[in-house]
Amino acid sequence: MKRNYATKLIVVLSFLVLLIAAAGSVMAHPDYTAECGDCHTNTGTLTLTTNSTVNAETGDPFILQIQAGNGAEYVAIKSGWGDNDYFRISDTLIQDNSVNDTNAAVGEITVDVTFTPLLNGSRTIRIWTAATGLLGDSFDVAVTVTGEPSVTVTTGPPPVDLVGIWTMMLYTVPAATALILVIFGYLALRRKK
Amino acid sequence: MAIHPVFVHFHTGILTVAAALALINLVLRILFRDNINTPGTRLAKIFHEFDVFIYVGSIIGFIGLIVGVITGFMEPEYPLNIIIQTPELRFKILWSIVSLEIFLYAMIVRTKLGDRVWVNASTYFPYAIVIMVGGVLMMIMGALGGILEYHTSILKPILDWIGIPWP
């Protein structure tokens, strides 16, 4: 085999190994429905408390102080659980004694998490705490989200319609880019006399 | 959260590397014009290999971008009216479309002209610059995805330093 071919073969095989390794790393467990309770089946020993009901307004952030104890190692508020997708959440996974845990004791977590409601309606925030040995527990917070307060001229300018601006940009920016690229393309591909 | 499978993230890396190589090739083209045109020299070989990477990378990146866009909208619990409430995702949607246009342009021009794309300044400047812009956009979009999911990114110090505000 020529040396040239050997180098190319090594490069191609390396890329294939990388490709297979990457594809192999994408695993799915169809039995797991994303909530901790699938694995952490020993419930009732860890403690988890916060407000059980909250009234909020769309776009206005509110803070929940979440306290977990009796051996808790993690507090998680992941997307897909309850109606968590309807909120922007400042911290979705807090480990015991990590930066945001304000309780220095081992096995106890106290954390302030900011939630921003995205849409009106009655929503449920689902929080889980978990530890080794299949220990886990969840807590649901019922949140009633109403519309934004009416803004009058005397209380300040109306809120900026960011989604509206974005929708306009969604048409204008790609159109402007296309125009520029067509000009570049014409300059590059025109036949020279 | 709408999450792409890990496999879909490769094109971000490929296109970012393509942007870096486009910058290097542009500098080589300007500074060492004679050497890169002399067949058999080491510099000419490196220049040619970088050029091929940029071309092939643009093709792989373009396909990856399309897959990324499709999988980004596949999360059933994350409908479009919620996605567009999040500024990071609005940024990703808008600039993904622009990136698609950029790499489509790069593919067409490079396919039509071959390595003659590096002959005239009217061709190689736009070609290299749009690939750099596309690569940087891809890098920022990757960082935003990281921030959405993990609340941090290795790009954060760089963009803090430049002065680009983070969500």
Side-chain angles (χ1 to χ4, degrees), chain A residues 27 47 92 94 98 104 108 122 135 160 163:
Chain A
M27 289 188 295
T47 58
T92 54
I94 305 101
S98 62
E108 292 181 11
S122 295
L135 298 177
V160 179
V163 175

Side-chain angles (χ1 to χ4, degrees), chain B residues 21-79:
Chain B
L21 297 186
L23 175 64
I24 294 171
N25 260 16
L26 186 61
V27 173
L28 291 178
R29 174 67 183 76
I30 294 165
L31 295 182
F32 304 105
R33 185 182 173 181
D34 290 341
N35 291 20
I36 62 160
N37 285 333
T38 311
T41 62
R42 183 174 288 268
L43 206 56
K45 209 174 167 186
I46 290 171
F47 185 87
H48 172 71
E49 284 173 2
F50 282 5
D51 173 48
V52 171
F53 183 96
I54 295 165
Y55 178 42
V56 178
S58 297
I59 296 169
I60 296 171
F62 184 76
I63 296 165
L65 252 169
I66 292 172
V67 177
V69 168
I70 293 168
T71 54
F73 289 112
M74 275 173 63
E75 188 69 42
E77 292 181 2
Y78 219 64

Side-chain angles (χ1 to χ4, degrees), chain A residues 68-148:
Chain A
N70 205 22
E73 291 180 20
Y74 284 94
V75 165
I77 318 146
K78 294 281 188 180
S79 59
W81 300 349
D83 297 326
N84 293 356
D85 285 341
Y86 290 85
F87 297 86
R88 291 197 72 196
I89 302 167
S90 64
D91 209 347
T92 54
L93 186 68
I94 305 101
Q95 192 175 4
D96 188 21
N97 291 334
S98 62
V99 180
N100 294 336
D101 176 15
T102 54
N103 188 333
V106 175
E108 292 181 11
I109 302 170
T110 302
V111 62
D112 288 343
V113 179
T114 306
F115 296 82
T116 309
L118 299 175
L119 284 178
N120 295 357
S122 295
R123 313 283 178 207
T124 303
I125 293 172
R126 182 158 301 157
I127 306 163
W128 273 89
T129 182
T132 51
L134 304 182
L135 298 177
D137 230 324
S138 71
F139 191 92
D140 282 358
V141 183
V143 186
T144 307
V145 184
T146 52
E148 289 171 307

